[in-house]
Amino acid sequence: MIELLAPAGNLERLKIAFLYGADAVYIGGYEYSLRANAINFSREELKEAVEFAHQLQKRVYVTVNIVFHNKDLDGLKEYLESLASIQVDAVIVSDIAVIRTIKDNHIPLEIHLSTQASTLNYEAALYYKNLGVKRIVLAREASRSDIIAIKEHTHLDLECFIQGAMCTSFSGKCVLSNVATNRDSNRGGCAQICRWVFDINKEKDVFSMTPKDLNMATYLEDMMSIGVNSFKVEGRMRSVYYIATVIYEYRHLFDKIKSHTLRECDILYSNDIINRCANRESTPQFYDKMPTSKEQYYLGREEVSNQDFLGIVMECKDNVVLLEERNYFKVGDVVEFFGPNMEAFTYKIEEIKDVDGNKIDVARHPRMQVYLTLDRTVPKDTMMRLKVFDKKDYL
C-alpha cells in the first residue's frame, strides 16, 4: 500500500485534504493530542470525520501521542474504547502505557507508533512490533540506510514525513519550550523557541537555530522502492490553502510516478509551488546525507507571508462561479484555478460582479462573495490563487 497522508486540524481541513487527493488523514481529539493549539475534534466531530472518510473509502488516524503523566491515565481506557466504537482506522501513540492499555483490555484498535518515539533502528522497531504495533512513524531524522534496514528486519508498515517543519532536537525530545515559556512541547504546547531570533551582542547581530523545512519531492520514487508505505505531510495547524496546495502537488507527483511519466520539470515546478505556499525554504534534510549549515537558518531569516490565496469556489453553475474572496484581486489580474480532480488552468479576470449583479473593479473585503464567468465548469471548493509560476518555463 502507498498512502498520501495529510494533516487535518478540523473538519473543514479534513474534507479539503480528501478532496485534494489525500488517502488518509491524521487528526487529534480534545484529549491526549500533541497539537494543543489546533482546533482539534470533539468526540462527535471525530465520529463525523470517520463516517465521512469511510464513505470515500479513505482512512482516519487519531493521535493519542502526548507523554503521559500518572494523572493522564484517568479516562484513557474509556477514550480508547470510544475511538474503537466509531471505527477509527488506527491510533498514533508514543507512550507504552497506551499500547498496554489497548492490549490488556483487548480494545480493537490498530496501533501506529508516533514519530515522538524517535525510532531510528530496527531493534527498537522490533520491540514495538512485539508489543503489537503495526506501523512505525519513523523519526524525521531517519536516513535512507536507516529505512532500508528497518524494513528488511521488521517488514512493518513504515511511515515517513515528506513535507513540513523539522525539529531542532530529535523529534519528541526537545525541552526548549518548557524552559523558556513553561509550555511543554511533549504535551502539545511547543512555543517553537528554535524559530525565535536572538540578539547575541550589543550590535544586534542575530542568531537562530531552526532547520529549514523538509521537502522530499525529489526522493518520492526512491522512497517507494525501499519500502516506505505512508508519505506524511506535517501541519495540523496549517490553513486550508496550504493543505490543498501541498496535497494537490504531491498527489500529482504520486500519480505521475504510478504512470511512469514523472519528469524532473514536474518536481521543480511542484517544489516552487509548495515552497511559496509554505513561505520557508525546504530541503531533504537527513535522507541523503547529514544536514549542513545549508539546511538550517543561523543568522536570521525572512518569512514573508504572501497573499496568493485569492478565493474559494462556493458553487459553479453554467460556468458562472460564486467565489468567496480571501485576498484582494481586481479586473485585469492573471490568476490560476486549481481544485479536486482537475488540472490547474490560467484565467484573466475580465469582469467581477457583486452578489446583486453589479459590476465592480475590485474585490477587497475578505469573505465577500463575487461572481466570475469562466470558460468552463469547476467543482465546489476549487481555489483561485495569484498566477506566479508557469509550467511552460520548466520544460
Side-chain angles (χ1 to χ4, degrees), residues 284-336:
Q285 292 290 356
F286 288 84
Y287 185 79
D288 57 335
K289 64 183 183 309
M290 287 297 291
T292 68
S293 59
K294 294 180 180 179
E295 281 73 47
Q296 184 159 330
Y297 297 107
Y298 283 106
L299 302 177
R301 64 193 185 278
E302 189 174 347
E303 297 176 14
V304 180
S305 296
N306 61 59
Q307 282 76 50
D308 290 354
F309 180 27
L310 302 180
I312 186 167
V313 173
M314 309 303 292
E315 64 178 33
C316 182
K317 295 181 179 178
D318 300 323
N319 296 357
V320 177
V321 161
L322 176 63
L323 189 85
E324 185 178 86
E325 188 252 3
R326 295 300 172 89
N327 279 296
Y328 171 101
F329 61 88
K330 65 186 185 302
V331 171
D333 284 348
V334 177
V335 300
E336 191 169 51

Side-chain angles (χ1 to χ4, degrees), residues 3 31 70 157 164 285 335 351:
E3 172 185 87
E31 299 102 325
N70 289 315
D157 270 9
Q285 292 290 356
V335 300
E351 182 181 82

Side-chain angles (χ1 to χ4, degrees), residues 44 79 94 100 113 122 156 160 162 192 195 241 261 272 291 310 393:
E44 292 75 19
Y79 179 66
S94 64
R100 287 287 303 274
L113 186 71
Y122 63 80
L156 284 164
C160 291
I162 57 169
Q192 297 185 323
R195 293 196 181 191
Y241 176 65
T261 59
D272 282 347
L310 302 180
D393 296 335

